[in-house]
Amino acid sequence: MLASVAAVPQASSQAPEARGAARTAVAQTPPMGWNSWNYFHRNVTEQDVKAAADALVSTGMKDAGYIYVNIDDTWQGERNADGVLSANSKFPDMKGLADYVHSKGLKLGIYSGPGPKTCAGYAGSYGHEQQDADLYASWGVDYLKYDLCSYIGIMQKQAPNDKPAQMRMMVAAYAKMDKALKATGRPIVYSLCQYGWDAVWEWAPSVGGNLWRTTGDIQPNWDRVYAILEQQAGLEKYAGPGHWNDPDMLEVGNGKLTEAENRSHFSMWAMLAAPLLAGNDLAHMSPEVLRILTNRDVIAIDQDRLGRQATRAYADGEVEVWTRHLEHGALAVAVLNAGSDRYATHPFRLNLSRLGLHGPQKAKDLWSGREVTLTNNEPIELAHHDILLVRIPQPK
Ligand code: GLA
């Protein structure tokens, strides 16, 4: 199905269904960009969004593939008598902002939800789905994150104590916005945010989801990043071009994550074929954080066109080995020291035969940039929460 979708023309004379089908040609690799929430939370303003767009260009992140500039919650104002929503005073000119972002060769993302209120208590799209979709399209929005939040209350009210009926309502609410987006004829990435409920990975593509959150919210600390990582094992079969598991936006450069933790977080999100949506203050990041976010070799793993998400191959104590199949028969291998002991370097031996590999393997270490040869039972010493990420072009 997906192979033929890219060929669907986007002419506006088509029926809405066919025009919408063209939309699935977006997100053929995991979306990359920036989202306001993880750093700015409720405080985000138009100025912050413009500064992020400027920084994407000036830092080289755009050239590395970061294209979407996504405004999260708290941009919404009031509806007028006809139900048409305005942005609030923090965003005085949404169309102008979209034009600004587009003028830089970037794309604009926005946020809403199926309930009457968003998670932060701003206007949601309940009862105004088509109106809102049309509004986004008129502004030139390219990406919508649609967050369940207060729709949970509607589900509970309409189907009290009936979980299956509540889940059906939830799926229908996501399908409704999908239909509204499709009817606009504009290609808009559709990002589902309902925290992984009801095995969303099984049904999200059927409601047009290009990506879907698999868990509750990420936080800028290692325990939360790692807890989310652990919940991704087993979901690999649901990811592929146009439809991705979303373990949430990046916290690289936020909170108290150390350099090794930032590196491991970024590496593992790339292994997971996760959307790479930076969540830090791009206008004021350290060179080290920028270096991590723009490691082209690691980004190439994330963006590999096969779109196959990594599998956890095995764990040995507190060290985990993940593998990801890449185009042209290449293989990415990540060895992560998830150990809790800050001082243990976990001398570890990589068992290549457990990865189906035989004999020495020529590889590139994607963080040092060095060419290396891995042998069976290779001793690997990794600092606390650090990672070895290699690409083996011709695994044997
Ligand atoms: C939820 C989402 C977050 C963010 C906030 C905004 O918690 O999961 O990613 O969008 O809402 O209120």
Side-chain angles (χ1 to χ4, degrees):
M1 182 196 94
L2 286 164
S4 61
V5 157
V8 174
Q10 299 187 17
S12 58
S13 58
Q14 287 178 306
E17 294 72 27
R19 290 207 305 270
R23 209 188 74 229
T24 57
V26 297
Q28 292 302 291
T29 60
M32 290 179 67
W34 172 85
N35 174 292
S36 59
W37 187 255
N38 282 354
Y39 181 81
F40 291 97
H41 301 282
R42 306 170 147 262
N43 302 322
V44 65
T45 65
E46 178 189 271
Q47 270 321 310
D48 299 325
V49 175
K50 283 190 172 169
D54 293 346
L56 284 176
V57 175
S58 65
T59 60
M61 285 180 71
K62 178 192 161 199
D63 291 341
Y66 294 85
I67 293 298
Y68 290 97
V69 178
N70 293 354
I71 307 168
D72 208 277
D73 207 347
T74 76
W75 63 266
Q76 306 87 339
E78 303 297 325
R79 293 189 186 277
N80 69 15
D82 297 326
V84 178
L85 185 64
S86 299
N88 61 41
S89 58
K90 297 192 299 161
F91 291 89
D93 179 8
M94 208 48 118
K95 175 81 177 83
L97 180 56
D99 291 346
Y100 183 83
V101 167
H102 289 150
S103 75
K104 308 230 152 208
L106 301 166
K107 293 178 184 288
L108 187 72
I110 211 158
Y111 167 101
S112 188
K117 296 275 179 210
T118 64
C119 289
Y122 286 71
S125 294
Y126 184 64
H128 296 275
E129 292 80 1
Q130 192 61 61
Q131 246 174 349
D132 285 1
D134 291 343
L135 180 69
Y136 308 149
S138 76
W139 285 338
V141 165
D142 308 290
Y143 185 119
L144 174 67
K145 172 175 169 185
Y146 206 48
D147 193 346
L148 189 62
C149 258
S150 74
Y151 195 72
I152 298 169
I154 308 257
M155 285 154 46
Q156 286 166 345
K157 203 162 163 199
Q158 287 188 18
N161 305 317
D162 187 348
K163 260 266 145 32
Q166 291 178 11
M167 294 301 132
R168 284 195 298 275
M169 283 180 67
M170 175 175 66
V171 175
Y174 278 97
K176 190 171 194 179
M177 183 48 101
D178 175 51
K179 205 167 156 224
L181 292 174
K182 281 179 171 152
T184 70
R186 186 175 173 86
I188 297 176
V189 174
Y190 189 28
S191 159
L192 273 54
C193 177
Q194 46 76 278
Y195 338 114
W197 288 9
D198 197 33
V200 60
W201 36 86
E202 287 177 356
W203 54 266
S206 75
V207 296
N210 297 116
L211 59 152
W212 50 87
R213 281 272 298 279
T214 55
T215 67
D217 289 11
I218 198 167
Q219 291 155 10
N221 65 73
W222 177 256
D223 286 351
R224 185 62 191 145
V225 169
Y226 182 64
I228 289 180
L229 170 64
E230 292 303 277
Q231 291 180 64
Q232 308 313 305
L235 298 184
E236 51 270 22
K237 66 171 182 261
Y238 300 102
H243 52 101
W244 309 100
N245 289 304
D246 174 9
D248 209 352
M249 306 166 297
L250 294 166
E251 291 283 17
V252 173
N254 284 341
K256 293 199 162 92
L257 291 170
T258 65
E259 188 182 326
E261 289 167 347
N262 279 325
R263 191 162 45 229
S264 295
H265 173 23
F266 192 67
S267 301
M268 287 312 304
W269 262 232
M271 288 293 279
L272 293 171
L276 296 181
L277 296 173
N280 58 318
D281 180 7
L282 300 182
H284 303 97
M285 69 185 143
S286 69
E288 187 47 50
V289 165
L290 176 62
R291 198 177 72 82
I292 290 173
L293 289 172
T294 51
N295 183 316
R296 299 281 184 126
D297 287 331
V298 180
I299 291 171
I301 303 286
D302 182 73
Q303 296 288 300
D304 184 84
R305 300 201 76 82
L306 273 189
R308 290 184 63 183
Q309 178 177 327
T311 302
R312 188 167 53 198
Y314 75 98
D316 182 353
E318 293 178 301
V319 179
E320 300 190 4
V321 182
W322 293 67
T323 56
R324 176 169 175 185
H325 290 281
L326 305 169
E327 266 192 312
H328 311 303
L331 186 73
V333 180
V335 182
L336 174 68
N337 172 5
S340 44
D341 183 346
R342 191 170 295 275
Y343 301 103
T345 52
H346 279 268
F348 163 84
R349 290 183 177 275
L350 180 61
N351 188 329
L352 291 179
S353 38
R354 286 183 78 170
L355 308 182
L357 301 173
H358 305 286
Q361 308 289 324
K362 282 198 183 350
K364 182 174 182 187
D365 177 333
L366 303 187
W367 287 109
S368 73
R370 287 197 207 103
E371 302 299 328
V372 294
T373 301
L374 299 173
T375 53
N376 202 21
N377 291 320
E378 178 84 23
I380 293 173
E381 204 151 304
L382 287 169
H384 180 62
H385 297 171
D386 211 343
I387 197 162
L388 172 74
L389 180 63
V390 298
R391 180 190 189 104
I392 307 176
Q394 293 175 306
K396 294 182 287 227

